[in-house]
Amino acid sequence: MKVGIFDSGVGGITVLKKAVEKLPGVDYIYYSDNLHVPYGTKLKEEVAGYVNEVMEFLLSKGVEVVVIACNTATSIAAHNLREKYNIPIIGMEPAVKLAVDSLNKGKILVTATSLTLKEEKYKQLISRVDQEGRVESLPLAHLVTYAEQGIFEDQIVVDYLKEMLAPYDWIQFSGIVLGCTHFVYYKDIFKKILPSYVKVFDGNEGTIQHLKEVISEKEIIDHSKKGQVTFYYSGKEAPNILESYMKKIK
């Protein structure tokens, strides 16, 4: 079984790492579209074009399932991709439902890229799961830039997050959703900055559970044997650069 996972950059590696942990017997191809990162600040039409190019590349490598490890790309292109290609395509969305269902009271702050938060798909998600108006939204575009530059624990990240989170009265909040795979690199910093009672959510676990279900319907995988992971940087194989990012994820 060969699975393709892609993102605008290195954020999707947080999804890849979870996949390798949960489904080690699968072969993975990870595609980082670094020539076009970030997706979250571009026009929808541009992103749709980039995603189609990535899909064609992954299919040329023989993948049988594709995971769009990017909330922005999912919101813009997943529907059309599923109509165009006859293979399972698993997307991502901010883990708002999980947060709302898990927390009985208190507000929930959803962080993501500006484009994800503007998309109709996100608005429909909020309308569907947030009947009590508990959810607020905050774009954090700089985190994508920091991750792509390999800036993870520097004071500049801490200062940025403190500045962006400062306007909120956290006594009223019980949870925060990391609605971009790049943000998962900074989960520990969020936890250090925020009060201990604020629970941090991301969609990676749910996405890999979905992948596990899809794979189990197609074939039985021997997870006692370790699969192969191949990394591509916009079409060029780049194992050392991208593999180093997996070590940054705690």
Side-chain angles (χ1 to χ4, degrees), residues 1-2 11 13-14 18 27 37 41 48 50 87 96 115 133 137 144 152 168 174 187 189 192 239 250:
M1 169 65 68
K2 187 180 290 186
I13 294 177
T14 64
K18 183 69 68 175
D27 291 330
V37 67
T41 58
Y50 301 149
I87 65 169
V96 184
L115 193 51
S137 305
V144 176
F152 293 106
Y168 296 89
S174 57
K187 183 181 285 190
I189 296 180
K192 289 177 182 177
K250 299 177 181 178

Side-chain angles (χ1 to χ4, degrees), residues 188-234:
D188 284 351
I189 296 180
F190 277 99
K191 289 180 177 179
K192 289 177 182 177
I193 292 174
L194 295 172
S196 59
Y197 55 79
V198 176
K199 190 169 182 181
V200 181
F201 297 86
D202 68 74
N204 290 7
E205 187 81 39
T207 299
I208 300 310
Q209 180 59 37
H210 188 184
L211 175 62
K212 185 176 182 179
E213 293 166 0
V214 169
I215 289 176
S216 67
E217 292 176 0
K218 295 177 73 68
E219 63 179 85
I220 298 173
I221 304 295
D222 182 2
H223 292 297
S224 66
K225 298 179 181 178
K226 189 176 181 180
Q228 181 179 0
V229 180
T230 308
F231 295 92
Y232 288 92
Y233 231 33
S234 287

